[in-house]
Amino acid sequence: MRSLSALVALALAFGAAAVPSTAVHKVKENVVSPRGWTKRAPAPSDHIIELRIALPQPKFDVLEKHLYEVSDPFHERYGQHLTKEEVEALVAPEAESIHLVNEWLASHGIYEDDLARSPAKDWVHIKVPVSLAEEMLKTEYHIWTHDASGDSVIRTTSYSLPEHLHEHVELIQPTTVFSRTKSLKTSFRFSEAQEKSVAIAANAPPISVPSASGGHVDASCNQTITVTCILELYNAVGFKASATNGNQIGITGYLEQFANIQDLQTFFAEQRPDALNSTFKTILINGGENNQTLDEAGAEANLDTQFAYGLTFPTPATFYSTGGSPPFIPDVLTPDDSNEPYTEWLDFVLKQKTLPQTISTSYADDEQTVPVSFAKRVCAGFAQLGARGVSLTFSSGDGGVGDGEEDPALQECFTNDGRNVTRFVPLFPPSCPFVTAVGGTIHVPETAVFFSGGGFSDVFPRPAYQQLAVSKFLNKLAPGTYAGLFNPNGRAIPDVAAQADLFRIFLSGRPVSIGGTSAAAPTFASIVSLLNSARISKGLPSLGFLNPLIYALQATDPSVFNDITTGNNPGCGTPGFNATEGWDPVTGVGTPNFGKLKDIVTFDFADVLTNAAKLGA
């Protein structure tokens, strides 16, 4: 492969393009200047950026059909997940698209040895100087600075392609993406008095919760959430996951969040002593690191790993540390200028033959900051994982119906399209219909926690699997409620919920109390992983894409979820939505009852359907 220095020299010496293109260019994508960002100086011409070129996936509708069939418990193909090779065949671009894009790249002096391709050949990656990228895309890159944080990126608001390529190139990034991926923790505080309060609470009588293990939960769980609290509350006490049946759980980490093993051992010693001296596998992606200096432990990473691995022990566990989201610092010229970490992670995991059956993520962007083309393409990547039998959970957000800012005074509930119209702000990827969005609850008995993110996507239409449940909620709303503030036809979030505050973890050697839907997502994912362990031990496939099953079960046996009917999620100067009977945009269909779910999902649905068909005949 050509060296970057050679490419730089080539671009500077020959005016960026080795072979000038005479093709007529037409604007492929443009966005208005993003609110909250300021355009600074032109981008340095010799700065190297990695362009990602997405080629169309003409058979994606076929993949989507397969996904829904293997995920629908009422379909005869339920659980018959696709292989890696089968998925790749369904997302592969047409040969003509590959040829024409190759021809265009060659016209700019870029050949096969200069690029990398995804296994399905639907993504092409090239590293080029800014000057060459500007020539190829007939655009100008600038340094843009986020006003509130000072973060900077190299971006453009418009780019063009030769007209004949428009139907053969879906998108090119980084160009118009101005999103700022953030972890979703709403409260984080040291609590040195925690131990005393727990000791006092432990003397109180248990709280009666009929759906819990043994019908009660320790009273201390109203002040401090531990592994034991979760197992009691969600009826999972006594279940032993397998260490050897092939089941695995994964946690994603971004933004230099490091999961500290020493803190994990301290956590295990206190809350899961049988797990002491066990650990997890760390996989480094795109320059990700594994800094084990105690002071560098990440609150988000520690929260996710300590509870997920504590709840699912001895299930083999993986932590993905993904780099590539610095952001760019103009005076340092960081070589990897990217804040699109999901694509880096997806690039890696889609290449793997074997994957954890359950993977949780506690990071998101405001949906409106992600170009529609990019959001849809990333969402399609999640669909590929679902088709292969992977369950993906994402935190629904920590700003109620707002944009994720903990302080309502800092929420910016306006459209990002130049109109500055007041609007609720759903988050992406939770708004992707191929993932399971997890909202938050607090206390015992459970009520919706005020920061639980929820609402309706402005990008993705409502999928069929949630049509019945969501329509019932909308029909109960008073006419005109929040008219114009949300899209009543959009994909609705969250799907489910779990405890989301007062989690006791260890961070840099100290006990702390932490909360957010970033706690709820790995908690729900852990329950799913335990269900997968039970299924796999019975010779059944993993649950895979969860949502069709979730809504089918809620419609047929609502007791498998603990319906949350109190609380609301204020934001954008409003009280937000109310938790209510059935699905709601605060807690979804509710929190899990593991015992009841296990009894259902360890049936072989395919056998049940086959026998039913025989009886019918």
Side-chain angles (χ1 to χ4, degrees), residues 115-131:
L115 53 84
R117 298 184 189 274
S118 63
K121 296 182 169 52
D122 56 331
W123 283 98
V124 179
H125 297 186
I126 58 174
K127 290 185 177 181
V128 296
V130 163
S131 55

Side-chain angles (χ1 to χ4, degrees), residues 186 395-402 427 437-442 447-455 493-498 500 516-518 520 567-571 575-577 579 584-588:
T186 188
S395 308
S396 69
D398 291 346
V401 293
L427 299 189
V438 187
T441 64
I442 191 171
T447 184
V449 69
F450 72 93
F451 53 72
S452 183
I493 54 177
D495 301 295
V496 292
T517 53
S518 56
N568 60 301
N569 57 352
F577 294 105
D584 56 69
V586 191
T587 59

Side-chain angles (χ1 to χ4, degrees), residues 182 184 364-367 396-398 402-403 425-431 493:
K182 48 184 174 284
L184 297 178
D365 305 309
D366 296 347
E367 185 185 65
S396 69
D398 291 346
D403 68 352
V425 186
L427 299 189
F428 176 82
S431 65
I493 54 177

Side-chain angles (χ1 to χ4, degrees), residues 320-357:
Y320 297 97
S321 178
T322 302
S325 45
F328 169 75
I329 303 172
D331 58 352
V332 178
L333 290 181
T334 307
D336 293 317
D337 175 27
S338 168
N339 64 343
E340 302 151 18
Y342 307 120
T343 51
E344 299 287 358
W345 181 77
L346 277 168
D347 285 348
F348 177 84
V349 295
L350 287 172
K351 292 177 184 176
Q352 308 310 305
K353 190 81 172 178
T354 303
L355 293 168
Q357 292 86 346

Side-chain angles (χ1 to χ4, degrees), residues 11 167 193 210 277 363 376 404 406 490 564-565 589:
E167 63 180 298
N277 297 321
Y363 301 78
K376 288 183 175 179
E406 178 183 352
I564 312 303
T565 59
V589 301

Side-chain angles (χ1 to χ4, degrees), residues 363-384:
Y363 301 78
D365 305 309
D366 296 347
E367 185 185 65
Q368 65 172 352
T369 68
V370 184
V372 171
S373 61
F374 188 66
K376 288 183 175 179
R377 188 57 181 246
V378 173
C379 189
F382 297 140
Q384 294 178 54

Side-chain angles (χ1 to χ4, degrees), residues 162-174:
E163 194 165 2
H164 73 281
L165 281 184
H166 276 233
E167 63 180 298
H168 300 286
V169 173
E170 194 168 300
L171 60 95
I172 298 179
Q173 294 293 348

